[in-house]
Amino acid sequence: MATNLSLDPKLIEQAVKIGGERTKKAAVTRALEEYVARRKQKRVVELMGKLEWDNSYDYKIERSRR
């Protein structure tokens, strides 16, 4: 999708250099992917202490091949 954005040129150049990307588009795409991934991880962390665990569940038994 074509989108016109007014971005800080110094920030874009830093992203290209630090990220090792060849193009500005690749740097912005990578940055957006990482942003989304971090937000998803944050949601998981927010669940800490809110879930009830079944203490009788044994994952090792579930993994074993029968």
Side-chain angles (χ1 to χ4, degrees):
M1 160 183 20
T3 303
N4 292 325
L5 300 171
S6 178
L7 302 171
D8 181 344
K10 290 179 183 177
L11 189 58
I12 291 291
E13 290 305 319
Q14 283 182 336
V16 170
K17 183 178 179 181
I18 292 171
E21 303 297 340
R22 292 182 174 206
T23 65
K24 294 175 187 176
K25 177 183 176 184
V28 170
T29 299
R30 173 68 57 96
L32 286 170
E33 290 169 347
E34 290 179 7
Y35 176 85
V36 169
R38 277 195 305 272
R39 294 294 184 226
K40 287 180 179 179
Q41 290 171 351
K42 184 178 178 183
R43 287 185 192 162
V44 170
V45 170
E46 290 171 352
L47 290 175
M48 296 293 280
K50 295 181 181 179
L51 301 176
E52 294 182 25
W53 298 101
D54 180 359
N55 291 328
S56 66
Y57 176 75
D58 187 349
Y59 73 93
K60 291 181 181 178
I61 291 173
E62 296 297 323
R63 284 194 316 195
S64 67
R65 298 183 193 267
R66 298 176 197 190

